[in-house]
Amino acid sequence: MMPIALTLAGSDPSGGAGLQADLKTFHQHGVYGTSVVTLLTVQNTRGVRRLEVVPPSVVEAQLTCLLEDLVPTAAKTGALGTAPVVEVVARAAVRFAFPLVVDPVMISKHGHPLLDRAAQEVMRYALFPRAFLVTPNVPEAEAMSGRPVKTLSEARDAAKAIAQLGPKNVLVKGGHLDGAPVDVLFHAGELIEFKGSRVDTPHTHGTGCTLSAAITAWLAQGLELPEAVARAKAWLTAALRTAPGLGQGAGPVNHFAKV
């Protein structure tokens, strides 16, 4: 049977981020993708113009319907928007028999807020304890850990601090730090670092969504977490290097990059 991966995320009509990026990534990794729409955005590569959150009851109905028929072998979340939507996902996650990757999307690439303050608190205390993996970038790690993250050493400390909130594993992505990007994974009580090379490109729209989706796809195929992270990071680097240059702003990465 083909592995199934589920994304619970917002819609990006420009296709570079959100559930569209997740589904492209799943497909490229040989995994069948399903989706629950949590919010609708009006955006392109130049910015977000409008956002509408899907009613929590509709989010819950989508998820219930899918789980009755197409049970995933791994799932991930993206932008969830509001506390009631986060609560829906957290309640359902109690019953998940598959790993859940939580990408705590708070702000769009263009600076538009995608998770309100109340939702951040519910995510910390209700959803994180249900997560197999949490994948914050540096600003998200600062918000979730309540401490500055300006150096690699502080990223290590933030990963440990976020793990105290309950997720089994934490990956603090280092793209916002100076120098070559180093991602820090807190796994099985140990820190593992994934070094990378910085790609000089303005086309970075959806990198967080794409990375977490690639990790989810590998988990759906049965890989252990450190190997899933390593492969996903290598693929994202290739996708950044071969970005197609679409749009007039921060364009998408190349979701057709060879796996």
Side-chain angles (χ1 to χ4, degrees), residues 3-255:
I4 298 173
L6 165 66
T7 175
L8 303 96
S11 170
D12 172 11
S14 74
L19 65 88
Q20 287 87 344
D22 293 343
L23 293 174
K24 292 174 185 178
T25 301
F26 293 162
H27 182 85
Q28 189 68 358
H29 284 75
V31 173
Y32 184 81
T34 59
S35 63
V36 168
V37 185
T38 58
L39 56 86
L40 304 173
T41 67
V42 177
Q43 67 173 298
N44 55 29
T45 65
R46 295 186 293 181
V48 178
R49 299 181 183 178
R50 185 174 175 182
L51 184 149
E52 297 287 343
V53 177
V54 174
S57 61
V58 178
V59 173
E60 185 172 27
Q62 292 177 80
L63 181 56
T64 300
C65 183
L66 280 176
L67 295 180
E68 289 173 354
D69 184 40
L70 294 162
V71 180
T73 45
K76 64 151 292 190
T77 66
L80 298 178
T82 63
V85 172
V86 178
E87 289 169 351
V88 164
V89 178
R91 285 197 304 269
V94 174
R95 302 185 298 276
F96 288 176
F98 46 85
L100 175 66
V101 176
V102 174
D103 185 9
V105 179
M106 295 183 181
I107 301 174
S108 75
K109 180 67 65 179
H110 309 95
H112 194 286
L114 298 175
L115 190 73
D116 63 32
R117 191 170 298 277
Q120 291 180 31
E121 289 303 301
V122 176
M123 181 171 284
R124 281 165 55 93
Y125 297 112
L127 186 56
F128 277 15
R130 316 296 182 206
F132 175 74
L133 173 67
V134 176
T135 64
N137 60 26
V138 164
E140 292 159 353
E142 289 181 329
M144 291 301 178
S145 68
R147 61 182 66 204
V149 181
K150 307 301 181 188
T151 66
L152 181 57
S153 177
E154 290 175 340
R156 298 184 189 112
D157 292 341
K160 293 177 183 178
I162 294 169
Q164 294 300 311
L165 297 173
K168 292 183 175 65
N169 305 280
V170 179
L171 179 69
V172 176
K173 299 172 290 188
H176 288 80
L177 299 178
D178 292 335
V182 178
D183 296 348
V184 178
L185 174 66
F186 187 70
H187 169 67
E190 301 290 337
L191 289 169
I192 305 172
E193 295 180 5
F194 300 86
K195 298 180 180 179
S197 56
R198 190 169 298 280
V199 179
D200 184 16
T201 176
H203 302 299
T204 58
H205 184 49
T207 49
C209 304
T210 299
L211 179 66
S212 59
I215 294 170
T216 304
W218 285 120
L219 292 175
Q221 296 177 77
L223 264 67
E224 295 296 323
L225 179 59
E227 180 67 15
V229 172
R231 293 193 186 193
K233 185 175 175 67
W235 178 74
L236 177 61
T237 300
L240 282 163
R241 285 179 175 149
T242 58
L246 300 175
Q248 301 174 47
V253 303
N254 178 21
H255 291 99

